[in-house]
């Protein structure tokens, strides 16, 4: 995904959106992405899947993804069609999980305070540049450390490690 | 410059003389853990890496505990997947229902984790083992898959916050759960984000091992990477009885650097209750006594240990659960369950009108065994009270110690043991 620019319409959620809200445990007896997508954020945004368009962007407040280690959460968001999550801050396990499965996420504190629901954003996940295409305002997200960029560049942790393991012989 | 206990354990496992916060390092793993929810996803990712075997069949632990004994066919399928993988890989530490327990109660009890270990688990409450002086943290299934395949994982070395707990609580019902709820109430659910929470001071030294494990368990509820307590004579007495391998005691240097030092005097601390819908929404129990409850849950990886059941039984003995309340008691492991049978605790609970379940994570995460209907309220010794955590999105969970949950079960509303004496 590295280098691929993203653009999409904004969905907004508040602070401390936890992994139970992103995908409730009652659905964790299955792990197919399509199934998880059907219940993504359902207790917060009713009928999300019917309304979300592929490529849309989720903008959140502080501490997005707090709680459980369930990777089902970023998988559900990605499968529901979100191309990117931008938040004031992320919970650390969620952050790792999103990078590991190749879901771009960007820490950009100003975005949730400024950008309106329904606005269109253009995002460069590598540089962290975020542009509000409606108002023209440009935001700077925190850039990824080079090591994480490498993981994202390979498409996630598994392709990255697969290559390392292969080279080791 | 000295190092903290967290930094020392990480440095040693990375083969480095020293590390400092912010550094990205590659760390060797002593134990890798998953359950029936996170394990199947980890196995799926493991298959993609291109190795046939796990890095060490003695260091991968798989435990069916979340939806186990299986509550439905899809759950049964997930349990089967981790069982079959364990068999295929010849894992030493696969434990079937009836011979296991809630993972974070079971692993310390069985001596599978010891001081100085580095442990990752595909379960956010893996941080529990910090109570033994291990570095332990929760990860997702993909990180876990890489851990299973390579025996290594990358970490960013966390800054540490030192919490010094001073004094002795005057209130006899104040426990480790109340300390950690008070701390989370003070710093918020992201108050320790990405950081290590190091607990120290007189009140920690006085705390039992069960209480220390409870505190470390909830470090994640403040957003921490790990919670940790330096091993002392109590830790070693606990470990000596159980350890299946050698251990190493690490301690923080006196001149170690902390991003923050927070002192808390526990002398006048009251038992705490976390109101919906965040573990940080804490109040003293005296300000919670108007809340009527429909269910009380005593158990989970936070408070399903022996000491927790003893406290609950002491309060419930000879009394009846309130007629409108369901009380569910869940011993954390089979060993605790058996002891509760032998020492008469189960009889006390059943006589009072409570349900005693086999070990499971079920109700804690709204899985099964105690789901809440719309509008229902529960007091629970578990670790999270997010929206819909225990069932319907319009239900409510209040978090407390076993003492408060037991008293509340009798009162039919949140209250203290003094009120039922």
């Amino acid at each position: 995904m590295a280098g691929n620019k993203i653009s999409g319409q904004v969905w907004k959620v508040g602070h401390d959106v936890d992994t139970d809200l992103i995908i409730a445990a009652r659905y964790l007896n299955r792990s197919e992405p399509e199934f998880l997508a059907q219940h993504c954020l359902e207790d917060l945004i009713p009928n999300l899947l019917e309304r979300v368009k592929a490529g849309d962007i989720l903008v959140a407040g502080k501490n997005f993804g707090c709680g459980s280690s369930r990777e089902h959460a970023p998988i559900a968001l990605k499968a529901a069609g979100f191309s990117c999550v931008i938040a004031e801050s992320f919970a650390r396990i969620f952050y790792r999980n999103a990078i590991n499965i190749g879901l771009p996420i960007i820490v950009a504190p100003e975005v949730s305070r400024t950008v309106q629901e329904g606005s269109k954003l253009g995002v460069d996940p590598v540089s962290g540049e975020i542009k509000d295409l409606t108002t023209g305002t440009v935001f700077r997200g925190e850039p990824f450390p080079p090591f994480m960029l490498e993981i994202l560049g390979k498409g996630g942790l598994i392709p990255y490690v697969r290559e390392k393991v292969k080279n080791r012989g | 410059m000295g190092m903290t206990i967290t930094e020392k354990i990480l440095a040693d496992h990375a083969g480095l003389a020293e590390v400092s916060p912010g550094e990205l390092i590659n760390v060797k793993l002593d134990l890798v853990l998953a359950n029936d929810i996170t394990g199947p996803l980890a196995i799926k990712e493991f298959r993609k890496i291109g190795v046939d075997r796990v890095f060490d069949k003695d260091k991968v632990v798989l435990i069916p505990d979340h939806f186990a004994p299986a509550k439905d066919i899809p759950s049964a399928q997930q349990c089967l997947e981790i069982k079959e993988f364990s068999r295929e890989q010849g894992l030493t530490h696969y434990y079937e229902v009836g011979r296991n327990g809630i993972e974070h109660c079971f692993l310390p009890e069985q001596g599978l984790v010891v001081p100085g270990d580095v442990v990752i688990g595909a379960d956010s409450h893996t941080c529990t083992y910090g109570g033994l002086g291990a570095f332990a943290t929760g990860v997702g299934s993909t990180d876990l898959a890489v851990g299973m395949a390579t025996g290594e994982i990358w970490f960013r070395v966390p800054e540490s916050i030192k919490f010094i707990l001073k004094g002795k609580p005057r209130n006899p019902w104040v426990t480790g759960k109340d300390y950690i709820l008070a701390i989370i109430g003070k710093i918020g659910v992201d108050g320790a984000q990405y950081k290590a929470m190091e607990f120290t001071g007189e009140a920690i030294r006085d705390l039992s091992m069960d209480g220390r494990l409870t505190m470390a368990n909830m470090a994640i509820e403040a957003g921490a990477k790990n919670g940790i307590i330096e091993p002392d004579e109590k830790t070693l007495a606990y470990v000596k009885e159980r350890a299946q391998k050698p251990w190493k005691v690490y301690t923080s240097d006196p001149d170690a650097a902390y991003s923050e030092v927070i002192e808390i005097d526990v002398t006048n601390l009251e038992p705490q209750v976390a109101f919906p819908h965040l573990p940080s929404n804490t109040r003293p129990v005296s300000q919670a006594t108007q809340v009527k409850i429909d269910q009380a849950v005593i158990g989970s990886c936070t408070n399903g240990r022996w000491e927790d059941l003893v406290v609950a039984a002491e309060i419930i003995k000879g009394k009846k659960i309130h007629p409108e309340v369901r009380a569910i008691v869940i011993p954390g492991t089979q060993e605790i369950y058996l002891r509760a049978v032998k020492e008469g605790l189960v009889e006390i609970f059943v006589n009072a009108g409570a349900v005693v379940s086999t070990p499971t994570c079920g109700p804690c995460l709204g899985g099964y065994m105690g789901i809440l209907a719309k509008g229902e309220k529960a007091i629970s010794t578990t670790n999270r009270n997010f929206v819909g955590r225990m069932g319907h999105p319009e239900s409510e969970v209040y978090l407390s110690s076993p003492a408060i949950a037991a008293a509340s079960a009798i009162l039919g509303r949140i209250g203290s043991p003094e009120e039922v004496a």
Side-chain angles (χ1 to χ4, degrees), chain B residues 306 313 317 338-351:
Chain B
W306 175 245
K317 189 173 185 179
L338 184 59
R339 192 168 169 195
V341 170
K342 283 185 181 163
E343 298 193 22
L345 273 59
V346 170
E347 197 175 341
I348 291 169
F349 295 132
V350 174
N351 274 337

Side-chain angles (χ1 to χ4, degrees), chain A:
Chain A
M1 58 140 269
N4 290 349
K5 293 255 168 87
I6 292 167
S7 69
Q9 216 135 23
V10 168
W11 290 77
K12 283 188 79 171
V13 292
H15 298 312
D16 303 315
V17 170
D18 58 75
T19 47
D20 282 84
L21 271 178
I22 299 170
I23 181 78
R26 56 186 178 271
Y27 304 117
L28 299 187
N29 54 359
R30 293 173 61 180
S31 62
E32 311 90 276
E34 311 71 41
F35 172 77
L36 298 175
Q38 284 168 24
H39 301 288
C40 181
L41 288 166
E42 75 173 14
D43 293 340
L44 196 61
I45 309 174
N47 309 318
L48 172 86
L49 199 64
E50 290 166 25
R51 294 151 62 203
V52 74
K53 291 189 297 295
D56 281 359
I57 292 167
L58 188 65
V59 171
K62 285 189 296 183
N63 202 26
F64 184 80
C66 60
S68 162
S69 71
R70 62 187 72 157
E71 208 162 282
H72 309 66
I75 292 173
L77 289 166
K78 196 178 172 187
F82 289 109
S83 60
C84 177
V85 186
I86 300 168
E88 284 184 43
S89 63
F90 289 95
R92 60 161 287 277
I93 305 178
F94 180 87
Y95 186 87
R96 274 187 91 117
N97 286 349
I99 302 279
N100 286 347
I101 67 153
L103 173 69
I105 56 174
I106 301 175
V107 178
E110 284 307 310
V111 174
S112 76
R113 294 176 209 150
T114 315
V115 171
Q116 303 295 312
E117 173 125 345
S119 306
K120 203 163 182 205
L121 292 184
V123 177
D124 182 337
V126 174
S127 70
E129 188 180 286
I130 300 158
K131 190 171 181 183
D132 187 329
L133 302 174
T134 318
T135 64
T137 316
V138 175
F139 304 90
R140 285 245 142 252
E142 281 176 20
F144 290 109
F147 167 67
M148 252 174 255
L149 268 183
E150 212 183 320
I151 294 177
L152 281 169
K154 303 278 183 213
L157 187 66
I158 295 297
Y160 172 84
V161 172
R162 189 169 51 214
E163 202 166 292
K164 265 181 45 176
V165 168
K166 207 199 282 172
N167 292 342
R168 235 186 248 171

Side-chain angles (χ1 to χ4, degrees), chain B residues 114-396:
Chain B
V114 294
D117 270 357
V118 171
V119 183
I120 59 167
D123 187 281
S124 61
H125 294 105
T126 302
C127 52
T128 306
Y129 316 134
L132 293 171
F135 175 88
T137 192
V139 297
S141 294
T142 298
D143 271 325
L144 195 92
V146 171
M148 288 201 297
T150 66
E152 292 176 14
I153 192 173
W154 70 269
F155 281 128
R156 179 187 168 280
V157 178
E159 290 86 8
S160 293
I161 307 178
K162 185 163 155 175
F163 295 87
I164 306 172
L165 275 68
K166 294 184 161 171
K168 287 183 196 294
R170 284 208 185 94
N171 185 316
W173 302 106
V174 166
T175 62
K177 181 63 163 286
D178 303 296
Y179 296 163
I180 191 67
L181 284 176
I183 288 171
I184 297 165
K186 193 179 167 83
I187 67 170
V189 285
D190 61 351
Q193 209 167 52
Y194 293 95
K195 293 181 179 165
M197 296 172 87
E198 187 176 325
F199 305 113
T200 180
E202 182 189 0
I204 299 295
R205 281 193 297 278
D206 288 347
L207 200 58
S208 65
M209 288 313 294
D210 284 359
R212 295 179 191 188
L213 292 164
T214 299
M215 287 191 73
N217 174 276
M218 287 189 72
I220 181 66
E221 309 315 333
K225 181 175 226 150
N226 66 312
I228 197 159
I229 295 169
E230 282 184 1
D232 60 9
E233 66 289 347
K234 262 187 208 168
T235 320
L236 297 183
Y238 179 92
V239 170
K240 270 177 196 156
E241 274 181 28
R242 307 156 196 270
Q244 297 195 18
K245 57 186 178 185
W247 61 86
K248 186 170 176 187
V249 171
Y250 294 85
T251 55
S252 294
D253 291 323
D255 61 341
Y258 292 89
S259 66
E260 216 176 331
V261 177
I262 297 175
E263 293 194 9
I264 295 165
D265 186 346
V266 302
T267 314
N268 295 315
L269 188 73
E270 249 194 78
Q272 302 284 303
V273 176
F275 276 51
H277 291 285
L278 285 176
S280 56
N281 194 9
T282 53
R283 292 179 212 174
V285 64
S286 57
Q287 291 175 28
T289 54
Q290 303 304 311
V291 180
K292 283 185 73 174
I293 55 155
D294 303 284
Q295 179 167 299
V297 176
I298 297 167
S300 85
C301 64
T302 316
N303 281 115
R305 297 190 179 79
W306 175 245
E307 177 184 286
D308 300 316
L309 299 196
V310 169
V311 168
E314 188 185 333
I315 293 161
I316 291 174
K317 189 173 185 179
K319 303 189 184 68
K320 294 288 177 199
I321 304 298
H322 189 277
E324 289 172 25
V325 173
R326 301 180 297 272
I328 303 170
V329 181
I330 307 180
T333 66
Q334 286 291 98
E335 196 175 298
I336 297 168
Y337 197 133
L338 184 59
R339 192 168 169 195
V341 170
K342 283 185 181 163
E343 298 193 22
L345 273 59
V346 170
E347 197 175 341
I348 291 169
F349 295 132
V350 174
N351 274 337
V355 163
V356 182
S357 160
T358 187
T360 175
C361 305
C364 172
L365 77 163
Y368 75 124
M369 269 296 295
I371 303 296
L372 299 176
K374 184 176 176 177
E376 283 195 315
K377 295 178 184 184
I379 188 148
S380 179
T381 68
T382 53
N383 37 48
R384 286 191 179 132
N385 55 352
F386 298 153
V387 171
R389 175 70 179 178
M390 204 175 265
H392 196 281
E394 287 171 46
S395 62
E396 292 184 349

